Short mmCIF file of all heavy atoms in Angstrom, two decimals:
data_model
loop_
_atom_site.label_atom_id
_atom_site.label_comp_id
_atom_site.label_asym_id
_atom_site.label_seq_id
_atom_site.Cartn_x
_atom_site.Cartn_y
_atom_site.Cartn_z
N LEU X 13 -31.56 -15.57 25.02
CA LEU X 13 -31.43 -15.72 23.57
C LEU X 13 -31.85 -14.45 22.85
O LEU X 13 -31.23 -14.05 21.85
CB LEU X 13 -32.27 -16.91 23.09
CG LEU X 13 -31.73 -18.30 23.42
CD1 LEU X 13 -32.72 -19.37 22.99
CD2 LEU X 13 -30.37 -18.53 22.75
N THR X 14 -32.90 -13.82 23.33
CA THR X 14 -33.36 -12.59 22.69
C THR X 14 -32.29 -11.50 22.77
O THR X 14 -31.95 -10.86 21.76
CB THR X 14 -34.66 -12.10 23.36
OG1 THR X 14 -35.67 -13.10 23.22
CG2 THR X 14 -35.14 -10.80 22.72
N TYR X 15 -31.76 -11.31 23.98
CA TYR X 15 -30.76 -10.25 24.14
C TYR X 15 -29.45 -10.58 23.43
O TYR X 15 -28.84 -9.72 22.79
CB TYR X 15 -30.52 -9.99 25.63
CG TYR X 15 -31.59 -9.13 26.27
CD1 TYR X 15 -32.60 -9.71 27.02
CD2 TYR X 15 -31.60 -7.75 26.10
CE1 TYR X 15 -33.60 -8.93 27.60
CE2 TYR X 15 -32.58 -6.97 26.67
CZ TYR X 15 -33.59 -7.57 27.43
OH TYR X 15 -34.57 -6.79 27.98
N LEU X 16 -29.01 -11.84 23.57
CA LEU X 16 -27.76 -12.22 22.90
C LEU X 16 -27.92 -12.21 21.38
O LEU X 16 -26.99 -11.85 20.65
CB LEU X 16 -27.31 -13.60 23.36
CG LEU X 16 -26.72 -13.69 24.77
CD1 LEU X 16 -26.30 -15.12 25.09
CD2 LEU X 16 -25.52 -12.75 24.93
N GLY X 17 -29.11 -12.62 20.90
CA GLY X 17 -29.36 -12.56 19.46
C GLY X 17 -29.33 -11.13 18.95
O GLY X 17 -28.73 -10.84 17.89
N THR X 18 -29.96 -10.23 19.70
CA THR X 18 -29.92 -8.82 19.31
C THR X 18 -28.50 -8.28 19.35
O THR X 18 -28.06 -7.57 18.43
CB THR X 18 -30.81 -7.99 20.26
OG1 THR X 18 -32.15 -8.51 20.24
CG2 THR X 18 -30.84 -6.53 19.85
N ALA X 19 -27.76 -8.67 20.40
CA ALA X 19 -26.36 -8.23 20.49
C ALA X 19 -25.54 -8.79 19.34
O ALA X 19 -24.66 -8.10 18.79
CB ALA X 19 -25.76 -8.68 21.83
N ALA X 20 -25.83 -10.05 18.94
CA ALA X 20 -25.09 -10.65 17.84
C ALA X 20 -25.33 -9.89 16.54
O ALA X 20 -24.40 -9.63 15.76
CB ALA X 20 -25.49 -12.12 17.68
N VAL X 21 -26.60 -9.53 16.28
CA VAL X 21 -26.92 -8.79 15.05
C VAL X 21 -26.22 -7.43 15.05
O VAL X 21 -25.62 -7.00 14.05
CB VAL X 21 -28.44 -8.62 14.91
CG1 VAL X 21 -28.77 -7.69 13.75
CG2 VAL X 21 -29.11 -9.97 14.70
N VAL X 22 -26.29 -6.75 16.20
CA VAL X 22 -25.65 -5.44 16.29
C VAL X 22 -24.13 -5.55 16.13
O VAL X 22 -23.51 -4.81 15.36
CB VAL X 22 -25.99 -4.77 17.64
CG1 VAL X 22 -25.19 -3.49 17.83
CG2 VAL X 22 -27.49 -4.48 17.72
N LEU X 23 -23.53 -6.51 16.83
CA LEU X 23 -22.08 -6.67 16.75
C LEU X 23 -21.64 -7.10 15.35
O LEU X 23 -20.60 -6.66 14.86
CB LEU X 23 -21.61 -7.70 17.79
CG LEU X 23 -21.68 -7.25 19.25
CD1 LEU X 23 -21.30 -8.39 20.17
CD2 LEU X 23 -20.76 -6.05 19.48
N PHE X 24 -22.44 -7.98 14.73
CA PHE X 24 -22.10 -8.40 13.36
C PHE X 24 -22.17 -7.21 12.41
O PHE X 24 -21.30 -7.05 11.53
CB PHE X 24 -23.05 -9.50 12.91
CG PHE X 24 -22.78 -10.01 11.52
CD1 PHE X 24 -21.81 -10.97 11.30
CD2 PHE X 24 -23.47 -9.52 10.43
CE1 PHE X 24 -21.53 -11.43 10.02
CE2 PHE X 24 -23.22 -9.97 9.14
CZ PHE X 24 -22.24 -10.94 8.95
N SER X 25 -23.19 -6.37 12.57
CA SER X 25 -23.31 -5.19 11.71
C SER X 25 -22.14 -4.24 11.91
O SER X 25 -21.54 -3.73 10.95
CB SER X 25 -24.64 -4.48 11.98
OG SER X 25 -25.73 -5.34 11.76
N VAL X 26 -21.81 -4.00 13.19
CA VAL X 26 -20.68 -3.13 13.48
C VAL X 26 -19.38 -3.72 12.94
O VAL X 26 -18.53 -3.02 12.36
CB VAL X 26 -20.57 -2.90 15.01
CG1 VAL X 26 -19.29 -2.15 15.36
CG2 VAL X 26 -21.78 -2.12 15.50
N GLN X 27 -19.23 -5.02 13.12
CA GLN X 27 -18.04 -5.72 12.62
C GLN X 27 -17.94 -5.60 11.11
O GLN X 27 -16.86 -5.35 10.56
CB GLN X 27 -18.14 -7.17 13.05
CG GLN X 27 -17.11 -8.10 12.46
CD GLN X 27 -17.39 -9.53 12.88
OE1 GLN X 27 -17.06 -9.91 13.99
NE2 GLN X 27 -18.01 -10.31 12.04
N PHE X 28 -19.07 -5.78 10.42
CA PHE X 28 -19.07 -5.69 8.96
C PHE X 28 -18.69 -4.28 8.50
O PHE X 28 -17.89 -4.10 7.57
CB PHE X 28 -20.46 -6.06 8.43
CG PHE X 28 -20.58 -6.02 6.94
CD1 PHE X 28 -19.97 -6.97 6.15
CD2 PHE X 28 -21.29 -5.01 6.32
CE1 PHE X 28 -20.06 -6.93 4.77
CE2 PHE X 28 -21.41 -4.97 4.95
CZ PHE X 28 -20.79 -5.92 4.16
N LEU X 29 -19.26 -3.27 9.16
CA LEU X 29 -18.93 -1.89 8.80
C LEU X 29 -17.46 -1.59 9.10
O LEU X 29 -16.79 -0.88 8.32
CB LEU X 29 -19.83 -0.93 9.58
CG LEU X 29 -21.33 -0.97 9.22
CD1 LEU X 29 -22.12 -0.06 10.13
CD2 LEU X 29 -21.54 -0.59 7.76
N MET X 30 -16.94 -2.13 10.20
CA MET X 30 -15.53 -1.92 10.52
C MET X 30 -14.62 -2.55 9.47
O MET X 30 -13.60 -1.97 9.07
CB MET X 30 -15.22 -2.49 11.90
CG MET X 30 -15.82 -1.70 13.05
SD MET X 30 -15.50 -2.50 14.65
CE MET X 30 -13.72 -2.51 14.69
N LEU X 31 -14.99 -3.77 9.02
CA LEU X 31 -14.19 -4.42 7.98
C LEU X 31 -14.24 -3.63 6.68
O LEU X 31 -13.22 -3.47 5.99
CB LEU X 31 -14.70 -5.85 7.77
CG LEU X 31 -14.29 -6.88 8.82
CD1 LEU X 31 -14.95 -8.22 8.52
CD2 LEU X 31 -12.78 -7.04 8.86
N LEU X 32 -15.44 -3.15 6.32
CA LEU X 32 -15.55 -2.35 5.10
C LEU X 32 -14.65 -1.12 5.18
O LEU X 32 -13.94 -0.78 4.23
CB LEU X 32 -17.00 -1.93 4.87
CG LEU X 32 -17.97 -3.01 4.38
CD1 LEU X 32 -19.37 -2.42 4.22
CD2 LEU X 32 -17.51 -3.60 3.06
N TRP X 33 -14.70 -0.47 6.32
CA TRP X 33 -13.90 0.74 6.49
C TRP X 33 -12.41 0.41 6.53
O TRP X 33 -11.59 1.11 5.93
CB TRP X 33 -14.33 1.45 7.77
CG TRP X 33 -13.56 2.71 8.03
CD1 TRP X 33 -13.72 3.92 7.41
CD2 TRP X 33 -12.49 2.87 8.97
NE1 TRP X 33 -12.81 4.83 7.91
CE2 TRP X 33 -12.05 4.21 8.87
CE3 TRP X 33 -11.88 2.02 9.87
CZ2 TRP X 33 -11.02 4.71 9.65
CZ3 TRP X 33 -10.85 2.53 10.65
CH2 TRP X 33 -10.43 3.85 10.54
N SER X 34 -12.04 -0.66 7.24
CA SER X 34 -10.62 -1.02 7.37
C SER X 34 -10.01 -1.47 6.05
O SER X 34 -8.84 -1.17 5.76
CB SER X 34 -10.46 -2.13 8.41
OG SER X 34 -10.94 -1.72 9.68
N LEU X 35 -10.80 -2.20 5.24
CA LEU X 35 -10.27 -2.73 3.98
C LEU X 35 -10.48 -1.78 2.80
O LEU X 35 -10.10 -2.11 1.67
CB LEU X 35 -10.93 -4.07 3.67
CG LEU X 35 -10.61 -5.21 4.64
CD1 LEU X 35 -11.38 -6.46 4.26
CD2 LEU X 35 -9.12 -5.50 4.67
N ARG X 36 -11.07 -0.65 3.07
CA ARG X 36 -11.32 0.29 1.97
C ARG X 36 -10.04 0.71 1.25
O ARG X 36 -10.02 0.81 0.02
CB ARG X 36 -12.05 1.52 2.52
CG ARG X 36 -12.44 2.52 1.43
CD ARG X 36 -13.21 3.68 2.02
NE ARG X 36 -13.56 4.64 0.99
CZ ARG X 36 -14.19 5.78 1.22
NH1 ARG X 36 -14.55 6.08 2.46
NH2 ARG X 36 -14.46 6.61 0.24
N PRO X 37 -8.93 0.99 1.97
CA PRO X 37 -7.69 1.34 1.24
C PRO X 37 -7.23 0.23 0.29
O PRO X 37 -6.73 0.53 -0.80
CB PRO X 37 -6.67 1.57 2.37
CG PRO X 37 -7.50 1.95 3.55
CD PRO X 37 -8.75 1.14 3.43
N LEU X 38 -7.37 -1.04 0.69
CA LEU X 38 -6.97 -2.13 -0.21
C LEU X 38 -7.85 -2.17 -1.45
O LEU X 38 -7.36 -2.39 -2.57
CB LEU X 38 -7.04 -3.47 0.54
CG LEU X 38 -5.97 -3.72 1.59
CD1 LEU X 38 -6.21 -5.05 2.29
CD2 LEU X 38 -4.58 -3.71 0.96
N ARG X 39 -9.16 -1.97 -1.25
CA ARG X 39 -10.04 -1.92 -2.42
C ARG X 39 -9.70 -0.74 -3.31
O ARG X 39 -9.76 -0.84 -4.55
CB ARG X 39 -11.50 -1.84 -1.97
CG ARG X 39 -12.03 -3.12 -1.35
CD ARG X 39 -13.55 -3.08 -1.24
NE ARG X 39 -13.98 -1.98 -0.37
CZ ARG X 39 -14.10 -2.09 0.95
NH1 ARG X 39 -13.80 -3.23 1.55
NH2 ARG X 39 -14.50 -1.06 1.67
N GLN X 40 -9.30 0.37 -2.70
CA GLN X 40 -8.91 1.54 -3.49
C GLN X 40 -7.66 1.25 -4.30
O GLN X 40 -7.56 1.66 -5.47
CB GLN X 40 -8.68 2.72 -2.56
CG GLN X 40 -8.50 4.05 -3.29
CD GLN X 40 -9.73 4.45 -4.06
OE1 GLN X 40 -10.83 4.40 -3.55
NE2 GLN X 40 -9.55 4.83 -5.33
N VAL X 41 -6.69 0.55 -3.70
CA VAL X 41 -5.49 0.16 -4.45
C VAL X 41 -5.86 -0.70 -5.65
O VAL X 41 -5.38 -0.49 -6.77
CB VAL X 41 -4.50 -0.60 -3.54
CG1 VAL X 41 -3.36 -1.19 -4.36
CG2 VAL X 41 -3.93 0.33 -2.48
N SER X 42 -6.75 -1.68 -5.43
CA SER X 42 -7.17 -2.56 -6.52
C SER X 42 -7.87 -1.77 -7.62
O SER X 42 -7.60 -1.96 -8.81
CB SER X 42 -8.11 -3.65 -5.97
OG SER X 42 -8.57 -4.47 -7.00
N ASN X 43 -8.78 -0.85 -7.24
CA ASN X 43 -9.49 -0.05 -8.24
C ASN X 43 -8.53 0.86 -9.00
O ASN X 43 -8.64 1.00 -10.23
CB ASN X 43 -10.58 0.77 -7.56
CG ASN X 43 -11.68 -0.09 -6.98
OD1 ASN X 43 -11.91 -1.21 -7.44
ND2 ASN X 43 -12.37 0.40 -5.97
N ASP X 44 -7.60 1.48 -8.28
CA ASP X 44 -6.64 2.36 -8.96
C ASP X 44 -5.75 1.58 -9.91
O ASP X 44 -5.39 2.05 -10.99
CB ASP X 44 -5.79 3.10 -7.92
CG ASP X 44 -6.57 4.18 -7.19
OD1 ASP X 44 -7.62 4.60 -7.71
OD2 ASP X 44 -6.15 4.59 -6.09
N LEU X 45 -5.36 0.37 -9.49
CA LEU X 45 -4.52 -0.46 -10.35
C LEU X 45 -5.27 -0.86 -11.62
O LEU X 45 -4.69 -0.90 -12.71
CB LEU X 45 -4.07 -1.70 -9.59
CG LEU X 45 -2.95 -2.54 -10.23
CD1 LEU X 45 -1.72 -1.68 -10.46
CD2 LEU X 45 -2.61 -3.72 -9.35
N GLU X 46 -6.56 -1.14 -11.50
CA GLU X 46 -7.36 -1.44 -12.69
C GLU X 46 -7.43 -0.24 -13.61
O GLU X 46 -7.39 -0.38 -14.85
CB GLU X 46 -8.77 -1.89 -12.28
CG GLU X 46 -8.82 -3.26 -11.64
CD GLU X 46 -10.25 -3.68 -11.33
OE1 GLU X 46 -11.18 -3.00 -11.81
OE2 GLU X 46 -10.41 -4.68 -10.62
N ARG X 47 -7.55 0.96 -13.03
CA ARG X 47 -7.57 2.16 -13.88
C ARG X 47 -6.23 2.36 -14.59
O ARG X 47 -6.19 2.80 -15.74
CB ARG X 47 -7.92 3.38 -13.03
CG ARG X 47 -9.41 3.50 -12.74
CD ARG X 47 -9.74 4.88 -12.17
NE ARG X 47 -9.35 4.97 -10.77
CZ ARG X 47 -10.14 4.61 -9.76
NH1 ARG X 47 -11.35 4.15 -10.01
NH2 ARG X 47 -9.72 4.72 -8.52
N VAL X 48 -5.14 2.01 -13.90
CA VAL X 48 -3.84 2.09 -14.57
C VAL X 48 -3.77 1.09 -15.72
O VAL X 48 -3.29 1.41 -16.81
CB VAL X 48 -2.71 1.83 -13.54
CG1 VAL X 48 -1.36 1.70 -14.26
CG2 VAL X 48 -2.64 2.94 -12.51
N GLU X 49 -4.27 -0.11 -15.50
CA GLU X 49 -4.25 -1.13 -16.56
C GLU X 49 -5.13 -0.74 -17.74
O GLU X 49 -4.84 -1.08 -18.88
CB GLU X 49 -4.71 -2.47 -15.99
CG GLU X 49 -3.74 -3.06 -14.98
CD GLU X 49 -4.21 -4.38 -14.43
OE1 GLU X 49 -5.23 -4.88 -14.93
OE2 GLU X 49 -3.57 -4.91 -13.51
N ARG X 50 -6.23 -0.03 -17.44
CA ARG X 50 -7.09 0.43 -18.54
C ARG X 50 -6.57 1.70 -19.19
O ARG X 50 -7.16 2.17 -20.17
CB ARG X 50 -8.50 0.68 -18.00
CG ARG X 50 -9.24 -0.57 -17.57
CD ARG X 50 -10.72 -0.29 -17.40
NE ARG X 50 -10.97 0.71 -16.38
CZ ARG X 50 -11.25 0.43 -15.10
NH1 ARG X 50 -11.26 -0.84 -14.70
NH2 ARG X 50 -11.49 1.39 -14.23
N GLY X 51 -5.49 2.24 -18.66
CA GLY X 51 -4.92 3.42 -19.26
C GLY X 51 -5.58 4.72 -18.85
O GLY X 51 -5.34 5.77 -19.45
N GLU X 52 -6.42 4.68 -17.81
CA GLU X 52 -7.13 5.88 -17.38
C GLU X 52 -6.26 6.77 -16.50
O GLU X 52 -6.60 7.94 -16.29
CB GLU X 52 -8.41 5.49 -16.64
CG GLU X 52 -9.39 4.71 -17.52
CD GLU X 52 -10.60 4.22 -16.75
OE1 GLU X 52 -10.71 4.56 -15.55
OE2 GLU X 52 -11.44 3.52 -17.35
N GLN X 53 -5.18 6.24 -15.94
CA GLN X 53 -4.23 7.05 -15.19
C GLN X 53 -2.86 6.42 -15.31
O GLN X 53 -2.72 5.24 -15.61
CB GLN X 53 -4.65 7.18 -13.72
CG GLN X 53 -4.76 5.88 -12.95
CD GLN X 53 -5.38 6.07 -11.57
OE1 GLN X 53 -6.40 6.73 -11.43
NE2 GLN X 53 -4.75 5.49 -10.56
N GLU X 54 -1.83 7.25 -15.08
CA GLU X 54 -0.46 6.82 -15.34
C GLU X 54 0.10 5.94 -14.23
O GLU X 54 0.86 5.02 -14.48
CB GLU X 54 0.44 8.05 -15.52
CG GLU X 54 0.19 8.81 -16.82
CD GLU X 54 0.57 7.98 -18.03
OE1 GLU X 54 1.60 7.29 -17.98
OE2 GLU X 54 -0.17 8.03 -19.02
N SER X 55 -0.26 6.22 -12.98
CA SER X 55 0.31 5.49 -11.86
C SER X 55 -0.65 5.55 -10.68
O SER X 55 -1.70 6.20 -10.75
CB SER X 55 1.67 6.08 -11.48
OG SER X 55 1.52 7.44 -11.10
N LEU X 56 -0.27 4.87 -9.60
CA LEU X 56 -1.08 4.88 -8.39
C LEU X 56 -0.86 6.18 -7.63
O LEU X 56 0.29 6.61 -7.46
CB LEU X 56 -0.72 3.69 -7.48
CG LEU X 56 -0.94 2.30 -8.06
CD1 LEU X 56 -0.48 1.25 -7.05
CD2 LEU X 56 -2.40 2.08 -8.40
N PRO X 57 -1.91 6.83 -7.19
CA PRO X 57 -1.73 8.09 -6.44
C PRO X 57 -1.17 7.83 -5.05
O PRO X 57 -1.23 6.72 -4.54
CB PRO X 57 -3.16 8.65 -6.37
CG PRO X 57 -4.05 7.45 -6.48
CD PRO X 57 -3.32 6.47 -7.37
N ASP X 58 -0.63 8.89 -4.45
CA ASP X 58 -0.03 8.77 -3.11
C ASP X 58 -1.02 9.26 -2.06
O ASP X 58 -0.86 10.32 -1.45
CB ASP X 58 1.26 9.60 -3.06
CG ASP X 58 2.03 9.36 -1.77
OD1 ASP X 58 1.74 8.34 -1.12
OD2 ASP X 58 2.88 10.19 -1.43
#
């Protein structure tokens, strides 16, 4: 339990960081779209 619990915490942390990194482009699209709606930029960058 000690080793598997430690492995679970480590794997969960790595998994969370991987999800943050993998979904970062989607969050960037959402943020850029909000800036377009607020009139801070004309369109989504490429």
Side-chain angles (χ1 to χ4, degrees):
L13 287 175
T14 300
Y15 281 100
L16 286 181
T18 303
V21 172
V22 173
L23 289 175
F24 180 83
S25 301
V26 172
Q27 171 184 281
F28 181 71
L29 293 175
M30 289 176 60
L31 283 176
L32 286 180
W33 180 76
S34 300
L35 294 177
R36 184 178 179 183
L38 288 177
R39 289 194 298 273
Q40 190 63 48
V41 171
S42 178
N43 294 335
D44 288 341
L45 192 57
E46 288 183 12
R47 281 193 284 272
V48 172
E49 293 180 6
R50 292 195 299 266
E52 298 175 4
Q53 60 189 47
E54 289 294 320
S55 60
L56 299 178
D58 188 18

